[in-house]
Amino acid sequence: MKKIAVINGVNLDRLGKREPQIYGSATLGDLCSMLDARAKELGVELVHFQSNHEGEIVDKIAELSDAGVRLGIINPAAFSHTSVALRDCIAGNEIKFVEVHISNIYTREEFRHNSITAPACVGVISGLGFGGYLAALDFLAGR
């Protein structure tokens, strides 16, 4: 069975509590449940991981790559705008990631308009809420 990593970065454990006018009222648990249901329909297995710590995300990506995972969805959150280490990790491992952002980063503060991690990914989805994760999952399941 095809395994797909779902990596969520900084502050995404606060979904449902943090800025609901931007991110909505659903939680990270709700997101994971929704994705697991779709994965079951698609016949793929998901591996979920969330951390507020850059190094833990880097370590997890390397661990998953070494274990043979080749596809992933990543929401680096604020790390997408700041982390050269995460960008290098994405580029330097064998997992093909789709970068997802719940909000439209291009309608927010100007510093959010540039993602340094996006060029290391096979695609980017921004502004579709949790639907962006579903679109990424559908895309990757068909690869």
Side-chain angles (χ1 to χ4, degrees):
M1 180 178 285
K2 186 184 292 187
K3 280 189 181 179
I4 299 174
V6 180
I7 309 290
N8 281 289
V10 63
N11 293 318
L12 290 167
D13 60 325
R14 303 289 300 158
L15 287 173
K17 298 175 185 172
R18 175 182 173 239
E19 299 177 285
Q21 71 279 12
I22 295 173
Y23 300 105
S25 59
T27 67
L28 182 60
D30 295 334
L31 172 62
C32 293
S33 294
M34 178 190 73
L35 289 172
D36 286 339
R38 176 67 64 87
K40 185 175 180 181
E41 293 170 6
L42 296 170
V44 299
E45 179 183 347
L46 300 182
V47 179
H48 295 278
F49 182 76
Q50 186 280 326
S51 180
N52 294 319
H53 305 281
E54 180 182 40
E56 287 182 1
I57 296 170
V58 168
D59 289 345
K60 188 63 166 185
I61 290 170
E63 174 189 315
L64 291 167
S65 182
D66 290 349
V69 175
R70 294 294 175 256
L71 300 170
I73 299 167
I74 188 163
N75 184 341
F79 292 141
S80 62
H81 316 295
T82 63
S83 180
V84 173
L86 184 55
R87 180 253 172 248
D88 289 351
C89 174
I90 293 168
N93 282 285
E94 296 184 46
I95 301 173
K96 302 300 179 205
F97 279 104
V98 173
E99 182 170 305
V100 173
H101 295 280
I102 295 168
S103 68
N104 183 345
I105 63 175
Y106 303 103
T107 62
R108 299 190 59 202
E109 302 93 339
E110 190 166 334
F111 72 87
R112 295 184 196 277
H113 296 184
N114 183 44
S115 169
I116 61 176
T117 53
C121 296
V122 297
V124 178
I125 301 170
S126 178
L128 300 182
F130 284 5
Y133 286 85
L134 291 173
L137 179 56
D138 290 344
F139 170 76
L140 291 171
R143 278 185 73 100

